[in-house]
Structure formats: C-alpha cells, structure tokens
Amino acid sequence: MKYLVPLLTLLLVAACSSRPTTSGIGVEQASQQYNQQLIVNNPELGNKLAISDVKTRQTNGLTDVVVTLASQYKKSQYLQYQFTWYDADGFVIKGNHSPWQAITLFGFAKTQLPGLAPTSDAVTFSLAVREVSTEAQEFED
C-alpha cells in the first residue's frame, strides 16, 4: 500500500502531462483512513475545488461511497470524475473502472459524487476529478 500513492501520483502526472485540460485533483482511501492531503496535478483546479467529506457504508456486501466536492470558485466548472477500486492487497480491480462521469459544479456550490464498488473484493478506492475543456479543439493530421 505504501507504493500505491507514489505510483498513482506518477501515473496521473504522466497521463496529464500531454493533456493539461484533463488533469485534476483526487482523494484516496487507505485502510478506512482518508488521505486529507489531496493529489493535485493542476494547481489552478486545486485552488478552485475541495473535498469536504467522504462517507462509506456497506450495501449488500459492496462498499458504497459518497464524496462531497465543494467549489471554491465563483463561476461554474465543467468537470468529470472517476472511481478506481482496489482489492485488499492494493491491486486495481481490472475491468471495473467506473466511466468518467460529467458534472457541472456551480459557483461556491457542493455536490456529492456517489460510487459503488463493482465487487465485494473491492475494499478501498481512489477518486480522480478533472476539468473538461470547453474550448473547441482542432486535430492535426
């Protein structure tokens, strides 16, 4: 588990270095303790968002989670979020990534981001949040 945070940070930094519009912030759970220090790959977005609460419960043997995301910015933000689930050994549960979910977070508002573990093997999670570009993008040949 001690290698998980540096590895995820490295992967997020590598993935975000080529497309800065998709970098973001995240939160991780490790052994029922939540990392209060956010992983921030986009300092501008990190200043606009905060994770104010994380709640979990067991529902029919599956971990059910709700993360409260708060805007610290006066304008609307167009975001996406995704949960990744891990087994007891800290391995990603393959094939069970949730898809990126789109949300609009209005100025100084809060929203709850729900997630449900795909299997009973999932005991911990991580959450990534990224900005969605609202600019038109041109593709080069």
Side-chain angles (χ1 to χ4, degrees):
M1 197 65 180
K2 67 181 178 179
Y3 298 109
L4 185 61
V5 172
L7 179 61
L8 285 175
T9 303
L10 179 63
L11 290 174
L12 285 172
V13 169
C16 297
S17 64
S18 62
R19 300 199 80 128
T21 59
T22 61
S23 60
I25 67 170
V27 64
E28 287 189 350
Q29 175 200 26
S31 304
Q32 304 302 323
Q33 297 293 322
Y34 297 97
N35 184 357
Q36 296 301 317
Q37 185 176 21
L38 299 179
I39 300 168
V40 179
N41 296 314
N42 180 338
E44 185 178 332
L45 181 60
N47 290 331
K48 294 178 184 178
L49 297 174
I51 294 174
S52 62
D53 190 27
V54 179
K55 295 180 182 177
T56 61
R57 67 179 176 194
Q58 292 297 312
T59 304
N60 297 326
L62 300 175
T63 301
D64 193 4
V65 62
V66 175
V67 177
T68 303
L69 186 66
S71 173
Q72 298 178 334
Y73 185 62
K74 63 183 175 183
K75 295 184 180 179
S76 295
Q77 298 178 71
Y78 304 97
L79 307 167
Q80 293 178 329
Y81 71 94
Q82 179 185 52
F83 284 94
T84 302
W85 297 91
Y86 304 92
D87 65 16
D89 296 322
F91 289 94
V92 173
I93 296 178
K94 297 283 183 188
N96 287 313
H97 280 281
S98 65
W100 286 100
Q101 300 289 322
I103 58 168
T104 300
L105 187 59
F106 299 105
F108 299 111
K110 290 183 180 182
T111 189
Q112 291 186 330
L113 309 178
L116 181 64
T119 69
S120 59
D121 295 334
V123 294
T124 61
F125 69 92
S126 65
L127 169 70
V129 179
R130 66 184 184 184
E131 254 178 328
V132 177
S133 176
T134 55
E135 300 174 8
Q137 296 182 5
E138 295 182 21
F139 297 99
E140 297 178 14
D141 291 329

